[in-house]
Amino acid sequence: MTTLIVDSACDLPKSLIEKAHIRLLPATIIYDKQSIQDQRDPETTIEIYASGALGKGHSSETAPTSAREIERILQALIDAGETDLVIQTVNRVRSPTYENAVEAVSRITKRHTNKALSVRLQDSRTIFTGQAVLAAHTIALINKGVSGTKLRRVIDLLSSKVHAYQVPKDVYYLRARARKKGDNSISWLGAVLGRMLQISPIVLALDDQTFPVTKIRGFNRAAETLFKHTIEQVNKGLLSPFVGVSYAGNPKELNTLPGFVELKRAVKAKKYQLIVSPMSLSGGVNLGPGTLSVAFATEPYQW
């Protein structure tokens, strides 16, 4: 049986992770001089968002899973009898996790040359809810008996077609985080005006690229626009039956956003599956509390 391993930036609910026996590569979250490993525990995640520790006026950072830690996790799985491992990471442009995994896999495979062992590493080419869609699709294929080269080929093809959208709640926060990483694409003036005018961008991550597709005045209106857009794509038909939604806060608050209830109905009517979870703490640190993310897989199109 193939074992799927994802990093903790993948916005899957804990219940699905446990049911599908998915293993985690936990990132380290550093905030207010504290550090924890993100194990995607919903109660802990929601508590940290509710505390305001990731908000303005607080210092927060993320650190990817190191090569040595990934190697330790893989070795523990092998020691437990696992011989077919598939690792999917957040896209390599956004995080060094993939490169750390390359190093770890190299050491592991050299150590076990005489063993019937398969370790496949995949760059998901996506982030957050996009990773969730890809992981859920992977598990569905594994449950149907798909494995090896065929599994990798199907998922590699799908990964370039996963559309992962984000609606940050605070453009000023987003600019401050981007500047820490040397990204000056959001100007100071643009961030200030964005906050004053309550402008919310809708940002798309697709095939290792991230770019804004539109700007809407008001977070709730932007969320409604994204939900309506997703409903249109759902009704047209998707390449995967999974739609991911995450929120950098308590997911119960999604029910107060216009368009979310209608999205749930549309997904159910198509007999697709809606995957809802708190956004990873890595996502919250980089995009800000209150950020909404929605993902689905379809052929590339113009917004």
Side-chain angles (χ1 to χ4, degrees):
M1 187 72 170
T2 303
T3 298
L4 177 63
I5 304 162
V6 299
D7 58 61
S8 55
C10 178
D11 283 342
L12 286 173
K14 186 75 170 179
S15 57
L16 180 55
I17 291 171
E18 292 177 345
K19 181 181 178 181
H21 304 291
I22 297 170
R23 303 298 192 268
L24 279 180
L25 305 178
T28 299
I29 310 301
I30 305 161
Y31 64 99
D32 289 348
K33 299 182 180 179
Q34 302 181 65
S35 68
I36 63 165
Q37 282 194 323
D38 185 2
Q39 297 287 352
R40 293 213 57 83
D41 177 72
E43 291 184 4
T44 301
T45 301
I46 291 169
E47 282 176 9
I48 291 174
Y49 280 130
S51 73
L54 303 186
K56 295 180 290 290
H58 295 263
S59 176
S60 57
E61 299 287 343
T62 64
T65 318
S66 69
R68 286 295 179 190
E69 179 64 7
I70 295 173
E71 183 182 358
R72 186 196 66 76
I73 291 169
L74 296 179
Q75 185 60 58
L77 290 172
I78 293 166
D79 290 344
E82 305 285 355
T83 59
D84 189 3
L85 307 175
V86 172
I87 308 166
Q88 292 174 355
T89 73
V90 61
N91 84 52
R92 70 178 81 187
V93 176
R94 308 294 296 182
S95 168
T97 302
Y98 178 85
E99 297 304 330
N100 290 348
V102 168
E103 184 180 335
V105 169
S106 175
R107 287 201 290 258
I108 282 287
T109 52
K110 287 178 182 177
R111 187 185 306 157
H112 296 284
T113 54
N114 298 324
K115 206 166 191 174
L117 176 66
S118 173
V119 184
R120 293 178 174 85
L121 174 60
Q122 294 179 301
D123 173 4
S124 72
R125 298 190 181 94
T126 185
I127 54 177
F128 311 135
T129 47
Q131 278 187 272
V133 168
L134 205 63
H137 197 91
T138 302
I139 288 297
L141 291 175
I142 290 171
N143 289 340
K144 290 178 180 178
V146 181
S147 62
T149 302
K150 183 177 180 181
L151 178 66
R152 183 187 184 105
R153 188 165 54 242
V154 172
I155 295 304
D156 276 345
L157 182 62
L158 186 66
S159 66
S160 64
K161 298 177 180 180
V162 174
H163 294 63
Y165 290 95
Q166 291 85 46
V167 183
K169 203 160 195 175
D170 187 339
V171 178
Y172 201 83
Y173 180 101
L174 189 63
R175 175 189 176 272
R177 288 300 308 173
R179 285 196 69 192
K180 280 189 176 183
K181 294 190 172 186
D183 180 357
N184 295 309
S185 58
I186 302 174
S187 70
W188 175 83
L189 180 60
V192 170
L193 290 175
R195 176 183 280 181
M196 289 176 60
L197 300 174
Q198 296 183 320
I199 299 297
S200 292
I202 298 179
V203 180
L204 171 61
L206 174 65
D207 200 14
D208 280 333
Q209 299 182 56
T210 305
F211 49 91
V213 293
T214 189
K215 296 176 183 178
I216 307 291
R217 188 163 185 174
F219 175 80
N220 280 14
R221 287 185 62 197
E224 183 178 23
T225 299
L226 178 55
F227 287 140
K228 286 182 176 179
H229 178 81
T230 304
I231 290 170
E232 290 175 6
Q233 300 304 317
V234 166
N235 289 337
K236 289 177 183 177
L238 303 176
L239 297 175
S240 172
F242 301 99
V243 176
V245 178
S246 70
Y247 179 70
N250 192 329
K252 290 181 180 178
E253 295 175 26
L254 288 168
N255 290 302
T256 68
L257 293 178
F260 181 64
V261 172
E262 289 78 4
L263 174 61
K264 287 196 289 187
R265 290 193 192 120
V267 170
K268 185 177 181 180
K270 271 285 191 177
K271 297 184 179 178
Y272 291 162
Q273 183 176 336
L274 190 66
I275 302 170
V276 180
S277 78
M279 178 172 280
S280 71
L281 291 173
S282 296
V285 167
N286 285 290
L287 297 177
T291 293
L292 168 70
S293 182
V294 179
F296 49 84
T298 187
E299 295 291 347
Y301 61 91
Q302 288 294 114
W303 171 273

